[in-house]
C-alpha cells in the first residue's frame, strides 16, 4: 500500500472549501414567510411550465433524453442559436463545476472577483486548482485588475454579469476588453444568470462573444426569471470543443424529465418573461427609492435584487436588521460570506413583501434611533 496515512481523508483542496450556505427560509411560528433571500421570482413559473411539469408525471419509469434535445431546441429557437452549441445541466451551478473539472488541474489558477458568486470558489477548489480573488472597484468587476492577475498558470476566469450579490454589471465593451486582454489558453466564463432582467443599452449577455471566439462560454439559468429554481435547470452556450469536454464528464442523464418538459414550455412563454421583467423594473426602482428615503445606501442594481448597506457608524448593524426583519417574516440574505458584513441582499418580491420590508425597516431604524 502506497498511502502513508491510514486515515480516510478527502483531498486537501476539498478541505479548503467552506460549504455553500443557501439563503434562509425560516421565520418564527405564526409569522408569514416572505422569502427574499435567494433571488427567486415573486411571479412563480409560467402556467404552461406547470402544466408541462404535471404531464411529465406520466412517464417517470423512463430515463429522460440524456441530450435534453427538446429543451436545447427550444433555447436555440428563442435565442437564435445553434443547437449543437448548447448544453443543459442540473442548474447552472453544475456547468460552473463541469468547466472547472474539465479545464483545471492542481497547480492551475482560476480567477473570480472580490464579491463574486461563491460557487466559483467551490468549483475551483473541487478541481484541485487555486482560486485567485481579484479586488473590485465600487463593488464592480475591474477589468484592469483582473488582467493584472493573469499568470501563465491562469486557465479560467469566472465573471458574473450582472454580479450576485452586488447587482452591478460590466458593459459589453468592457467584457470584450477583458477577453482581448486574456491569453488564448484562458477560458472566459460569463455567468449571465440575471441577463433577462437587465435593461441597459450597453449590456449584452455575451452570446456574440461566444460565437466569435474559441475561449468564451456563457451560462444561463431557469432558476431566476423563469421561476423554476426547484427543478434545477441551467444551460450554457459554448464552442463545440468546450461542449465536447463537458459532455465527456457530465452525468449521462443530468437533466431530469420533468425539468426538460417544464423548461421547454417556460422558455417559449415570452409573455410571462416580460411580465416578470416589468414587475422587477417597477419594484426595483420603488425599493431603491424607498430605501434611500430611509437613509439607507444601496448599490445600483440591474438584477432582481438589491444590496442594502448598513453603516456601522449609525449603530444598526446588518445582522441586527436581519434579525429584526426575520422576526417580521421578511427573510433577506446575509452576505458576510461575500466579504460584505455590513450589507444585506434583498430579492425584489411581491408588492406585499416589498412594502412590508420598507415598513419593517422604518420600525427598525426608528427603534434604534431612540436607543
Ligand atoms: C442564482 C445564480 C446562478 C444559478 O444557479 P442555478 O444552479 O442555475 O440555480 C448562477 N450564477 C449566479 C451568479 C447566480 O446568482
Amino acid at each position: 500500500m502506497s498511502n502513508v496515512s491510514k486515515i480516510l481523508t478527502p483531498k486537501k483542496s476539498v478541505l479548503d472549501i467552506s460549504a455553500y450556505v443557501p439563503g434562509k427560509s425560516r421565520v418564527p411560528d405564526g409569522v408569514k414567510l416572505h422569502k427574499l433571500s435567494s433571488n427567486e421570482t415573486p411571479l412563480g413559473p409560467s402556467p404552461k411550465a406547470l402544466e408541462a411539469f404535471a404531464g411529465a408525471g406520466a412517464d417517470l419509469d423512463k430515463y429522460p433524453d440524456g441530450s435534453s434535445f427538446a429543451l436545447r431546441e427550444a433555447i436555440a429557437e428563442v435565442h437564435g442559436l445553434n443547437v449543437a452549441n448548447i448544453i443543459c445541466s442540473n442548474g447552472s451551478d453544475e456547468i460552473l463545476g463541469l468547466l472547472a473539472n474539465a479545464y483545471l488541474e492542481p497547480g492551475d489558477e482560476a480567477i473570480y472577483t472580490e464579491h463574486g458568486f461563491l460557487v466559483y470558489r467551490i468549483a475551483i477548489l473541487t478541481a484541485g486548482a487555486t482560486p485567485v480573488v481579484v479586488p473590485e472597484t465600487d463593488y464592480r468587476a475591474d477589468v484592469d485588475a483582473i488582467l493584472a492577475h493573469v499568470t501563465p498558470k491562469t486557465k479560467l476566469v469566472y465573471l458574473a454579469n450582472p454580479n450576485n450579490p452586488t447587482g452591478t454589471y460590466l458593459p459589453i465593451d468592457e467584457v470584450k476588453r477583458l477577453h482581448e486582454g486574456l491569453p488564448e489558453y484562458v477560458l472566459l466564463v460569463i455567468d449571465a444568470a440575471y441577463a433577462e432582467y437587465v435593461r441597459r443599452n450597453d449590456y449584452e449577455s455575451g452570446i456574440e462573444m461566444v460565437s466569435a471566439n474559441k475561449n468564451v462560454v456563457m451560462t444561463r439559468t431557469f432558476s431566476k426569471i423563469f421561476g423554476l429554481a426547484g427543478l434545477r435547470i441551467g444551460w450554457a452556450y459554448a464552442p463545440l470543443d468546450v461542449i465536447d469536454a463537458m459532455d465527456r464528464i457530465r452525468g449521462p442523464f443530468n437533466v431530469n424529465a420533468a425539468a426538460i418538459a417544464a423548461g421547454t414550455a417556460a422558455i417559449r412563454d415570452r409573455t410571462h418573461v416580460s411580465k416578470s421583467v416589468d414587475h422587477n423594473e417597477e419594484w426595483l426602482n420603488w425599493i431603491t427609492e424607498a430605501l434611500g428615503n430611509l437613509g439607507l445606501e444601496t448599490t445600483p442594481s440591474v438584477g432582481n435584487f438589491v444590496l442594502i448597506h448598513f453603516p456601522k457608524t449609525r449603530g444598526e448593524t446588518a445582522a441586527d436588521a436581519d434579525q429584526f426583519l426575520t422576526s417580521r417574516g421578511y427573510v433577506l440574505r446575509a452576505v458576510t460570506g461575500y466579504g460584505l458584513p455590513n450589507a444585506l441582499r434583498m430579492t425584489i418580491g411581491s408588492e406585499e413583501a416589498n412594502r412590508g420590508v420598507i415598513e419593517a425597516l422604518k420600525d427598525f431604524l426608528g427603534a434604534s434611533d431612540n436607543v
Side-chain angles (χ1 to χ4, degrees), residues 113 139 150 194 242-243:
T113 63
Y139 301 106
V150 173
Y194 301 93
V242 179
I243 296 278

Side-chain angles (χ1 to χ4, degrees), residues 322-353:
D322 192 19
Q323 206 173 18
F324 185 88
L325 289 167
T326 301
S327 74
R328 297 277 185 99
Y330 303 101
V331 180
L332 277 60
R333 183 72 142 95
V335 281
T336 303
Y338 286 90
L340 299 162
N342 302 317
L344 292 178
R345 189 194 67 199
M346 173 185 173
T347 304
I348 302 307
S350 64
E351 171 171 358
E352 181 193 352

Side-chain angles (χ1 to χ4, degrees), residues 20 38-39 89-94 96 117 119-120 160-165 191-194 219-224 229 232-235 305 338 345:
Y20 186 84
S38 300
N39 298 343
S89 59
N90 183 40
S92 55
D93 288 353
E94 184 191 9
L96 302 171
F117 190 41
V119 169
Y120 308 148
N161 200 30
N163 185 49
N164 166 22
D191 177 349
Y194 301 93
T219 65
R220 301 283 278 262
T221 182
F222 281 79
S223 300
K224 306 290 156 57
R232 314 300 303 124
I233 317 168
W235 60 280
F305 54 90
Y338 286 90
R345 189 194 67 199

Side-chain angles (χ1 to χ4, degrees), residues 13 16 25 38 53 60 106 196 225 227 253 340 363:
S13 61
D16 288 337
S25 54
S38 300
F53 173 76
L60 294 186
E196 293 86 354
I225 201 153
F253 305 100
L340 299 162
D363 291 346

Side-chain angles (χ1 to χ4, degrees), residues 77-371:
E77 218 175 274
V78 167
H79 288 281
L81 307 175
N82 185 350
V83 185
N85 293 87
I86 297 169
I87 183 171
C88 293
S89 59
N90 183 40
S92 55
D93 288 353
E94 184 191 9
I95 289 181
L96 302 171
L98 290 175
L99 291 167
N101 281 324
Y103 288 94
L104 299 177
E105 296 188 81
D108 288 341
E109 294 173 357
I111 289 176
Y112 66 95
T113 63
E114 189 179 357
H115 305 299
F117 190 41
L118 278 175
V119 169
Y120 308 148
R121 179 178 190 84
I122 296 172
I124 296 162
L125 286 168
T126 302
T130 306
V132 174
V133 187
V134 174
E136 297 183 1
T137 304
D138 295 332
Y139 301 106
R140 205 180 81 146
D142 180 328
V143 169
D144 295 307
I146 294 173
L147 292 176
H149 283 76
V150 173
T151 74
K153 292 179 178 169
T154 310
K155 277 282 205 56
L156 244 161
V157 174
Y158 287 107
L159 177 75
N161 200 30
N163 185 49
N164 166 22
T166 53
T168 56
Y169 77 106
L170 287 186
I172 189 68
D173 286 351
E174 279 287 278
V175 184
K176 285 184 177 157
R177 191 164 75 78
L178 170 61
H179 175 256
E180 277 154 22
L182 293 174
E184 282 174 14
Y185 57 80
V186 176
L187 182 64
L188 174 61
V189 181
I190 305 171
D191 177 349
Y194 301 93
E196 293 86 354
Y197 286 108
V198 188
R199 285 189 170 171
R200 290 289 189 283
N201 290 334
D202 59 357
Y203 175 82
E204 281 175 34
S205 64
I207 284 177
E208 282 175 22
M209 286 181 66
V210 174
S211 303
N213 297 285
K214 285 188 150 44
N215 62 340
V216 184
V217 171
M218 175 199 64
T219 65
R220 301 283 278 262
T221 182
F222 281 79
S223 300
K224 306 290 156 57
I225 201 153
F226 295 105
L228 295 173
L231 276 181
R232 314 300 303 124
I233 317 168
W235 60 280
Y237 180 52
L240 291 180
D241 288 344
V242 179
I243 296 278
D244 175 69
M246 286 194 278
D247 270 339
R248 288 168 193 253
I249 60 171
R250 72 177 170 86
F253 305 100
N254 59 336
V255 188
N256 70 70
I260 293 172
T264 302
I267 199 163
R268 290 213 164 101
D269 188 349
R270 305 317 290 169
T271 314
H272 191 73
V273 172
S274 50
K275 233 193 266 180
S276 302
V277 173
D278 289 345
H279 174 90
N280 191 62
E281 181 86 351
E282 178 185 350
W283 288 99
L284 174 64
N285 289 335
W286 186 89
I287 280 282
T288 305
E289 196 182 319
L291 291 167
N293 291 341
L294 291 178
L296 291 170
E297 196 187 319
T298 54
T299 300
S301 171
V302 295
N304 68 332
F305 54 90
V306 63
L307 192 64
I308 312 170
H309 299 273
F310 293 82
K312 275 185 287 194
T313 47
R314 281 183 54 166
E316 308 109 359
T317 67
D320 294 338
D322 192 19
Q323 206 173 18
F324 185 88
L325 289 167
T326 301
S327 74
R328 297 277 185 99
Y330 303 101
V331 180
L332 277 60
R333 183 72 142 95
V335 281
T336 303
Y338 286 90
L340 299 162
N342 302 317
L344 292 178
R345 189 194 67 199
M346 173 185 173
T347 304
I348 302 307
S350 64
E351 171 171 358
E352 181 193 352
N354 298 335
R355 291 190 187 278
V357 168
I358 295 301
E359 284 310 310
L361 279 173
K362 248 182 228 171
D363 291 346
F364 170 70
L365 295 169
S368 21
D369 278 349
N370 295 337
V371 172

